[in-house]
Amino acid sequence: MPIQKACVIGAGVMGAGIAAQIANAGIPVLLLDIVPKEGAENSGGRSAIAKSAIEKLLKADPAPLMSKAAAKLITPGNIEDDLDQLGDVDWVVEAIIERLDLKQGLYHKLEGKRKKGSILSSNTSTIPLKTLVEGMPENVQADFCITHFFNPPRYMRLLEIVGGPKTRAEVLKDISDFGDRMLGKTIVRAKDTPGFVGNRIGVFWMQAAVNAALDLGLTVEEADAIMGRPIGAPKTGLFGLLDLVGLDLMPHVDKSMASLLKPDDAYMKLRRPWPLLEKMIADGYTGRKGKGGFYRLNTAGGAKVKESINLTTGAYAPSDRARLDSADAAKGGLKTLVEHKDKGGQYAWKVLSGLLSYAASLVPEIADDVVAVDQGMKTGYNWKRGPFEMIDQMGAAWFAEKLAAEKLPVPAFLSVAAKAGGFYRIANGQIEHLQPDGNYTKLLRPDGVLLLSDIKLSSKPIIKNGSASLWDIGDGVACLEFHSKMNALDPDSLALVKQSVDHVAKKMKALVIHNEAENFSVGANIGLALFAANIAMWPMIDDMIGTGQSAYKAVKFAPFPVVGAPSGMALGGGCEVLLHCAAIQAHAETYMGLVEVGVGLIPGWGGCKEMLLRYQPGPKDPKGPMPPVAQAFEAISLAKVAKSAAEAKELRFLRKDDAITMNRDRLLYDAKQEALALLAAGYQPPQPQELRLPGPTGRTALQLAVEGFALQGKALPHDVTVSDALAEVLTGGKTDFTEVIAEDQISKLEKKAFMTLLRTGPTLARMEHMLSTGKPLRN
């Protein structure tokens, strides 16, 4: 049964977040909660709780909604008046308080109201499915499953799905497919065991890491310096993560896990009282949502001083950056880290030895295979590698031998992996993973998933250089991949853009521009441009701008379709290459924008020209030469960045008919299909356009607006200079609005303005600031 309408019951942070993500997918959703005690007298009426939750969604940062317009798909209500609306709802998600009696009472209340055959699921993370459905009617048990989202639901990719012995196969298939394709989730089919996959291992990690920090006498900074990026976890580390999720949650999670686990489970041996944590919670130090946590911001005296707590005394003192050689040594891999002799290395080994051994003991208890466990930790906790990938990086045989030498438990599955050579291997260009019986099986991707990383295992690039490569992804379609640091664009990147267009024109059918890095491209290599400017290599920079314009022009007017497939940040020059593509298939979490003004420049590779074309009036837009200029000027001068693909459409970085893919793993496949569809429709490249621009009169109008901001103190003097250069480009220079100007001429104006601005001291200072801080200079 396709899911065309949903309902979330429970409008707390998690329930509202789930409703928001369903709305992000374009699916209408009811959001229900109890009637507040004040009843109809409450300012929001009987559905005040749900209404308030929607208002909070619109104000929250980071935003749960990909577009404010998505909020219109969420209908507030309450469980006393609005259950009759469930007659056309295909999926009901329960996300209320973790009390069995309340949950089961709700399920009984839904019977007779719920659509026959609709899916009923719980977002519980602590109550087993078998307990939830105990005593429930047969039809409830057949339609019931657990859908455990991770917070925040928009950004955390993991969705754990748990079925029971009576759950219909269609239920699990339909909800898995919807979660994957529509909600963009990595689906992990977990067993009905305590904590499922993510929290079973994640909670063990946190408890083990806290214990080891206390035992070894580490500061919170030292612990976080190791339990962050060196092991492949987010940079928040351990104590920063605890502050983020809330310290008061820890005792509840611990109590829940302890009530469900067997006495001989390894987690039970980790449990110990921690008076400091109890005191912190009692005093209101519950993390970021409270007065602070293991870290706090002391604003006494008007200053803002970051402080951290002493894990022994409980006293706060100014935070001091950890200085551990082992953290630097971790660049050589996990094995190098855990073998380091300093206390950071000892800490890493003490935590990882127990954690990874524990994970190896849990398959197939919590999931059928190592892939599910690794995917769960990577998408639920944002780890770079899952537990079994960590073991393989160190060497399964080495890890097992070291455990045995220290008289630590060696799980049977780990012994099997040690003999086999690891939990993963590459055979005939395909990834295989080890089963507990010692046999390897192929890692199968779902239909519609095409990963560039898989293609690389069985092929070589068609052409490549140090910054980019071109790959054959089948059916006559090539994929251009940027792979410099942060995918910053340099002469090598631009050269391969042009080479790729030439190659595909001669030997293939279509081109996709895509990569699997965290960000599509952060724009031009500022460091290279600054270096050249500082030694006055102006011809080199001029050539780079010309090369970029030429390469992007080749993309736009290629005799075949070029489809951009971005995810993450696509800024500056990275945005500009997409603006020149025939179509864009964007991941939902694509953040696009022309941000050059942040370093005192304007777009130089055709971005100004393309935004003018994007803003040309449609049937319902204001006519005349000035509205498109004003809109493009606002977007570029304010360095607007779309915070989702949906927002990118609103800002016209994406066209109305550009498509959005919710699941990043499906992005390349979808982009390839779009390219093939354009071919099948008889694709013809666009013709160069001519524009009517307002010329000096329009430039004067824009100047007046900017000067107004300057008088209010909202723009620095150099902002005025940059804005004036941008205004000259967008208004067409000295052209008259009675004349037409070719898009190539606008590009020439871009190049001239770019080079003029680059020669100014304030622009060079802003570039230096960006390189040293990673942030643009703000007023």
Side-chain angles (χ1 to χ4, degrees), residues 612 625 629 691-699 727-742 745-746 749:
L612 275 175
V629 170
L691 297 172
R692 292 189 182 275
L693 298 176
T697 303
R699 179 183 178 185
E728 182 178 15
V729 172
L730 294 177
T731 57
K734 297 179 180 180
T735 189
D736 186 273
F737 70 89
T738 62
E739 303 169 343
V740 293
I741 181 171
Q745 185 61 33
I746 302 172
L749 291 172

Side-chain angles (χ1 to χ4, degrees), residues 60 62 75 106 190 292 314 366 398 419 474 482 569:
T75 302
L106 175 62
I366 63 173
W398 176 88
K419 293 179 182 177
F482 301 134
M569 290 190 289

Side-chain angles (χ1 to χ4, degrees), residues 254-276:
D254 173 66
K255 184 178 179 181
S256 173
M257 293 291 287
S259 69
L260 297 170
L261 292 171
K262 296 177 181 178
D264 62 347
D265 190 271
Y267 177 80
M268 302 299 285
K269 300 173 185 177
L270 288 177
R271 300 183 71 226
R272 64 170 77 166
W274 192 9
L276 175 61

Side-chain angles (χ1 to χ4, degrees), residues 204-248:
F204 184 99
W205 166 61
M206 290 187 284
Q207 186 65 61
V210 167
N211 290 356
L214 293 171
D215 294 343
L216 292 171
L218 271 67
T219 65
V220 294
E221 292 93 343
E222 289 172 336
D224 285 349
I226 298 298
M227 285 297 119
R229 286 176 173 167
I231 69 164
K235 64 180 181 180
T236 53
L238 167 69
F239 291 105
L241 174 63
L242 294 175
D243 278 356
L244 183 63
V245 300
L247 273 60
D248 52 339

Side-chain angles (χ1 to χ4, degrees), residues 675-696:
L676 293 173
L678 288 171
L679 281 170
Y683 177 78
Q684 293 294 321
Q687 294 298 311
Q689 296 189 49
E690 294 181 331
L691 297 172
R692 292 189 182 275
L693 298 176

Side-chain angles (χ1 to χ4, degrees), residues 330-580:
K331 295 174 184 176
L334 285 177
K335 185 177 177 182
T336 304
L337 171 63
V338 300
E339 286 188 317
H340 202 282
K341 300 303 181 183
D342 75 2
K343 57 184 176 181
Q346 296 173 44
Y347 179 55
W349 171 250
K350 190 164 186 177
V351 175
L352 293 181
S353 60
L355 171 70
L356 302 183
S357 174
Y358 186 58
S361 73
L362 294 176
V363 176
E365 177 190 340
I366 63 173
D368 286 332
D369 53 51
V370 298
V371 177
V373 174
D374 282 345
Q375 290 282 18
M377 297 313 297
K378 288 191 290 185
T379 58
Y381 278 76
N382 277 339
W383 287 5
K384 185 177 180 180
R385 293 173 291 268
F388 297 99
E389 292 169 330
M390 289 186 186
I391 294 173
D392 275 4
Q393 192 194 70
M394 291 188 287
W398 176 88
F399 183 62
E401 290 171 4
K402 187 168 175 61
L403 289 175
E406 297 188 12
K407 296 184 170 28
L408 296 172
V410 180
F413 193 14
L414 176 58
S415 296
V416 172
K419 293 179 182 177
F423 290 101
Y424 295 92
R425 73 179 185 185
I426 307 298
N428 299 317
Q430 285 191 306
I431 302 173
E432 296 183 344
H433 58 93
L434 187 67
Q435 300 283 7
D437 63 6
N439 293 314
Y440 284 94
T441 186
K442 290 180 181 178
L443 174 58
L444 300 177
R445 305 291 187 193
D447 289 341
V449 171
L450 176 65
L451 299 181
L452 195 56
S453 55
D454 286 348
I455 291 169
K456 292 178 182 181
L457 297 175
S458 57
S459 63
K460 294 181 179 180
I462 301 168
I463 48 177
K464 69 173 293 186
N465 59 34
S467 299
S469 298
L470 184 69
W471 300 88
D472 186 339
I473 58 174
D475 300 312
V477 182
C479 177
L480 172 61
E481 174 200 23
F482 301 134
H483 47 64
S484 58
K485 185 177 181 181
M486 295 190 74
N487 289 333
L489 302 171
D490 56 25
D492 280 351
S493 311
L494 300 174
L496 208 72
V497 170
K498 188 65 168 61
Q499 287 179 284
S500 297
V501 171
D502 292 342
H503 176 85
V504 174
K506 295 175 183 176
K507 299 184 178 181
M508 303 183 79
K509 298 177 180 178
L511 176 65
V512 172
I513 304 178
H514 168 78
N515 61 73
E516 292 173 358
E518 183 177 351
N519 296 305
F520 176 77
S521 172
V522 296
N525 187 326
I526 295 176
L528 179 62
L530 181 62
F531 171 78
N534 281 332
I535 58 174
M537 290 183 65
W538 307 116
M540 173 184 170
I541 301 174
D542 188 81
D543 182 65
M544 185 174 172
I545 300 303
T547 300
Q549 289 190 355
S550 175
Y552 289 5
K553 181 179 178 181
V555 166
K556 181 173 182 176
F557 297 111
F560 53 83
V562 179
V563 178
S567 59
M569 290 190 289
L571 305 177
C575 178
E576 286 177 289
V577 70
L578 295 170
L579 294 176
H580 287 79

